Amino acid sequence: DIQMTQSPSSLSASVGDRVTITCRASQSISTYLNWYQQKPGKAPKLLIYAASSLQGGVPSRFSGSGSGSDFTLTITSLQLEDFATYYCQQGYSTPTCTFGQGTKLEVK
Amino acid sequence: EVQLVESGGGLSQPGGSLRLSCAASGFTVSSNYLSWVRQAPGKGLEWVSIIYTGGSTYYADSVKGRVTISRDNSKNTLFLQMNSLRAEDTAVYYCARNSGSYPYYMDVWGEGTTVTVSS
């Protein structure tokens, strides 16, 4: 099974900051990596698919990069509504998929 | 509007059964890959099951043999039959539309239904 490891597990930042979250796969997954945002009590929301493609309606301050086994999600100029938990998900080992353990982004 | 709405969650004793439903609108379940994903209290996301457009079904090892995913095309609804429930099945269960091709992302999610397994 492919394991997904995110770092850090939690992160404190301020409005206007630039933050980066890392996701590492236990083996190469090409660019079959997706990112989700989840707010408390809500369903996950797709932000980025195929490592770097922005889902429609998602602000351009979100960006993704990486290939192989190392990936990053970057949020430039943090807004208040961005404080949430972020998950990566590999879509390589179909039909199964695995998520990272999540990164909680909190207000400093 | 493309939407998924889950129902059927509740309280069950260990060893009991529940059937979760996920009603789709704005798209047809038969033409899409659909998944169930769960989230235990305070924990991360865990993929549970997927059904392909052709009807093939797959399960996570943690639920294999106890859970069955199915759909009713006439009702445009996805189901998850859960048997032999365990305390560790306690979670919010989400249904999600899967892209059906690489990179297999999930772009539409329901709001979730809560399953609690306790005596």
Side-chain angles (χ1 to χ4, degrees):
Chain A
D1 290 0
I2 299 176
Q3 308 301 317
M4 306 301 294
T5 303
Q6 289 180 232
S7 61
S9 295
S10 64
L11 175 59
S12 296
S14 301
V15 171
D17 284 353
R18 172 190 174 103
V19 299
T20 297
I21 298 169
T22 297
C23 179
R24 174 165 289 176
S26 59
Q27 67 180 72
S28 176
I29 58 171
S30 184
T31 57
Y32 303 148
L33 189 283
N34 310 305
W35 290 98
Y36 301 84
Q37 175 194 67
Q38 187 181 34
K39 296 182 178 179
K42 300 296 186 182
K45 172 188 173 183
L46 177 67
L47 295 177
I48 288 170
Y49 61 95
S52 61
S53 296
L54 201 64
Q55 174 70 346
V58 175
S60 60
R61 62 181 179 272
F62 290 91
S63 64
S65 65
S67 65
S69 59
D70 292 308
F71 303 87
T72 58
L73 171 70
T74 300
I75 313 171
T76 58
S77 190
L78 266 176
Q79 301 299 301
L80 203 55
E81 60 265 30
D82 300 336
F83 292 95
T85 300
Y86 294 85
Y87 293 94
C88 62
Q89 171 246 324
Q90 64 85 8
Y92 179 83
S93 63
T94 180
T96 64
C97 74
T98 43
F99 294 88
Q101 81 277 16
T103 295
K104 187 174 184 179
L105 178 55
E106 299 176 300
V107 179
K108 184 183 287 183
Chain B
E1 181 189 5
V2 174
Q3 194 175 9
L4 292 166
V5 179
E6 301 96 335
S7 60
L11 176 64
S12 173
Q13 292 189 336
S17 297
L18 282 174
R19 188 193 196 203
L20 308 184
S21 299
C22 171
S25 56
F27 70 97
T28 56
V29 296
S30 60
S31 300
N32 286 269
Y33 287 30
L34 292 166
S35 296
W36 287 97
V37 175
R38 69 184 181 183
Q39 186 169 37
K43 302 297 184 182
L45 301 169
E46 179 189 16
W47 173 79
V48 173
S49 180
I50 188 170
I51 184 166
Y52 285 5
T53 52
S56 297
T57 58
Y58 301 91
Y59 303 93
D61 288 343
S62 58
V63 301
K64 199 172 294 182
R66 302 186 298 117
V67 160
T68 302
I69 189 171
S70 64
R71 66 186 183 219
D72 184 329
N73 296 339
S74 67
K75 295 181 179 178
N76 212 31
T77 299
L78 175 74
F79 300 100
L80 189 70
Q81 177 67 45
M82 306 178 66
N83 301 322
S84 302
L85 283 163
R86 305 168 179 169
E88 54 265 36
D89 295 320
T90 295
V92 175
Y93 285 74
Y94 298 100
C95 58
R97 186 176 74 175
N98 193 293
S99 62
S101 62
Y102 285 114
Y104 286 97
Y105 55 81
M106 287 166 271
D107 65 339
V108 180
W109 295 68
E111 80 286 358
T113 187
T114 300
V115 171
T116 304
V117 183
S118 175
S119 54

